[in-house]
């Protein structure tokens, strides 16, 4: 859990001044489309501007096709919950959020993990 003093300090030293600067000059804000740029677009822009030319070996790696499930398969946390202790910690963290939707999701993940790894309730 975040220490309230650290949070207050962060708000005063970082978040507050950033908000004030953005309020004073709204043109500094970025649009949702700018946030959604892909890594490929960022690399292309950086290389085109000469700011970040990739060495040939790295360029070859970036351009290489996927060789496994790394791009096609989304991450499933149930695959990593392989013990009763891991499940208990996962569910305790979910309960600590007090978010009913997240807790329900965590219970579904835990049920999938139990079935996947043959764990007891």
């Amino acid at each position: 859990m975040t220490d309230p003093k650290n949070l207050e300090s962060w708000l005063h030293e970082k978040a507050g001044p950033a908000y004030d600067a953005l309020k004073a000059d709204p043109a500094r804000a970025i649009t949702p489309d700018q946030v959604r740029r892909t890594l490929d677009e960022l690399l292309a822009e950086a290389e085109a501007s000469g700011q970040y030319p990739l060495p040939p070996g790295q360029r070859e790696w970036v351009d290489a096709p996927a060789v496994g499930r790394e791009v096609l398969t989304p991450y499933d946390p149930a695959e990593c919950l392989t013990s009763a202790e891991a499940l208990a910690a996962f569910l305790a963290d979910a309960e600590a959020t007090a978010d009913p939707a997240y807790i329900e999701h965590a219970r579904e993940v835990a049920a999938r993990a139990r079935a996947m790894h043959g764990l007891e309730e």
Side-chain angles (χ1 to χ4, degrees):
M1 184 178 276
T2 303
D3 178 24
K5 288 185 181 186
N6 288 342
L7 179 59
E8 184 176 354
S9 174
W10 176 81
L11 286 170
H12 286 291
E13 294 172 13
K14 303 286 184 185
Y19 172 78
D20 292 340
L22 185 59
K23 190 173 176 185
D25 183 12
R28 293 177 51 156
I30 60 173
T31 67
D33 289 335
Q34 289 172 311
V35 173
R36 292 187 187 106
R37 290 191 304 177
T38 65
L39 177 59
D40 289 335
E41 291 169 332
L42 291 172
L43 284 172
E45 286 176 19
E47 287 182 324
S49 69
Q51 293 175 355
Y52 186 70
L54 288 176
Q58 289 182 5
R59 181 79 258 167
E60 181 181 342
W61 181 82
V62 168
D63 293 337
V67 295
R69 300 178 347 163
E70 69 271 15
V71 174
L72 303 175
T73 303
Y75 172 72
D76 183 3
E79 292 177 3
C80 299
L81 298 171
T82 59
S83 69
E85 294 81 13
L87 274 174
F90 178 73
L91 290 171
D93 284 346
E95 293 285 339
T97 67
D99 179 350
Y102 182 70
I103 293 168
E104 180 59 30
H105 172 72
R107 288 178 181 159
E108 291 168 5
V109 169
R112 217 170 41 253
R114 283 187 192 100
M116 188 181 296
H117 303 292
L119 301 173
E120 299 289 323
E121 288 236 13

